């Protein structure tokens, strides 16, 4: 016997919002936390999952503390010790590179260190639980966007799947 | 012409459960797999996605094998070779640190290595497909919680979005 | 007063598809982007989240550029500089290893470097927003499956949660 969807004071739904932002420099870090909170209010979200996705191969979305000393530590580790831009990257060898992977402006392509850093620093998105319309972030957690390349216009996508009022 | 939701033997829904756990030491590793399975039973989940989220900036949720030798290997790599706690971390320079980032107990703040390790080891959550009420984990996959700081009380959130009976 | 689900031209739903693939060598990289796009068409997905999950502890699902030079760079960094297979791994010390973690073929177990690389390279899945039936990937983003062990048969799971026509 089929079950009829319960009558309740919410509707299961999805919502998507695109956002553009301009980073100012190499390793610029932008706190997206409040923008995600605004999005959840706009769509009357109550409970579910929100995903914060960066549409780029040389940026990272990560959740951690917004603290300048820590930002210096991670920059030093990644871009001085592990993936120093002065090292040789095959990605930057434009003579052998497939044409369809070339950038319109040639020097835009010389970012081997940025791609490798993206691989080490994490996934292209974070997914966060939402309850009573708010993300269940811990006390120190902020949703951070890391620019691993030089200053650029970047696109972020917020997606919610769950219950809305 | 609008389409009416199909009558079926399930309801699309979301469920959230918070969990507290106490880690016993630096680099304590806790297997959460059975606790996630219990959660899926409690809510009568059938098909969808379950997200396991840690509410902390110095812990990591990762899926890998539960094997002691491997745990030693990753600890050695991260905390001896790459992010040795004996190195200098700007995060630990309390003289220049913004007041609103200070901990109640001062020495709690001296965890620069833990923050950087969190950035390397991965995202704050894992998201796993669920079918017939069970996670579609492979033979060796376990959902592991990594304490990257010292012994602490920690909070985890399990969230399910999908079909329930 | 309970609210009745809106009558609209879509249904909230979940869909799951399992896929098998055979990797050909250590560090084989397989582009899954088109296979995910086909899945979204098959299920008439319109808007929501799609998760691409690898059921293995020595593989990684990552979104980045499909470019051979970059693939060489990341292989060199991970498997020459950071997790060289010639280093000593406790995971490979079969004399002290718990019986229930042993492989059927002994040498299958000697992959300490692969497990550690999986921990560094990222999560077991990526989650991507879907709008108008298509993933909102950026220009250079491809969904890549990385084999971090030797040639093997591997299983991937695609899961969609959201609106379908």
């Amino acid at each position: 016997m089929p079950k009829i969807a319960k009558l309740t004071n919410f509707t299961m739904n999805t919502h998507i919002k695109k956002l553009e932002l301009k980073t100012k420099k190499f390793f610029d870090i932008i706190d997206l936390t409040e923008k995600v909170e605004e999005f959840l209010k706009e769509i009357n979200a109550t409970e579910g999952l929100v995903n914060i996705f960066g549409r780029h191969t040389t940026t990272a979305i990560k959740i951690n503390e917004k603290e300048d000393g820590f930002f210096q530590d991670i920059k030093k580790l990644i871009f001085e010790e592990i993936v120093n831009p002065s090292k040789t990257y095959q990605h930057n060898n434009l003579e052998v590179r497939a044409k369809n992977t070339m950038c319109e402006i040639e020097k835009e392509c010389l970012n081997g260190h940025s791609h490798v850093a993206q691989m080490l620093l994490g996934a292209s998105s974070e997914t966060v639980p939402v309850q009573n319309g708010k993300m269940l972030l811990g006390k120190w957690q902020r949703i951070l966007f890391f620019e691993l390349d030089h200053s650029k216009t970047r696109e972020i996508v917020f997606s919610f799947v769950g219950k809305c009022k």
Side-chain angles (χ1 to χ4, degrees), chain A residues 29-72:
Chain A
I29 299 169
I30 295 172
D31 184 353
L32 298 173
T33 315
E34 286 174 22
K35 290 197 185 303
V36 182
E37 286 167 352
E38 281 166 29
F39 166 66
L40 294 173
K41 272 190 198 163
E42 284 164 18
I43 63 170
N44 282 313
T46 58
E47 191 176 289
L49 290 173
V50 64
N51 176 273
I52 301 99
F53 183 85
R55 303 184 71 196
H56 305 282
T57 52
T58 55
T59 68
I61 307 275
K62 296 288 289 183
I63 296 174
N64 211 303
E65 189 179 347
K66 188 181 184 172
E67 198 279 307
D68 280 340
F70 160 60
F71 292 166
Q72 293 173 44

Side-chain angles (χ1 to χ4, degrees), chain A residues 68-86:
Chain A
D68 280 340
F70 160 60
F71 292 166
Q72 293 173 44
D73 293 333
I74 189 75
K75 186 180 180 186
K76 180 164 177 274
L77 177 77
I78 296 293
F79 287 115
E80 289 181 29
E81 298 178 28
I82 301 184
V83 206
N84 200 306
S86 70

Side-chain angles (χ1 to χ4, degrees), chain A residues 145-157:
Chain A
F145 179 85
F146 286 79
E147 173 61 77
L148 306 174
D149 211 331
H150 59 85
S151 165
K152 274 173 182 271
T153 300
R154 299 300 203 173
E155 287 172 11
I156 316 291
V157 182

Side-chain angles (χ1 to χ4, degrees), chain A residues 8 20-21 24 28 38-40 45 47 58 81 90 93 102 122-124 130 138 150:
Chain A
T8 53
E20 209 176 82
L21 50 88
K24 294 198 184 109
D28 203 4
E38 281 166 29
F39 166 66
L40 294 173
E47 191 176 289
T58 55
E81 298 178 28
Q90 284 307 311
N93 184 352
M102 292 294 283
S124 301
V130 174
H150 59 85

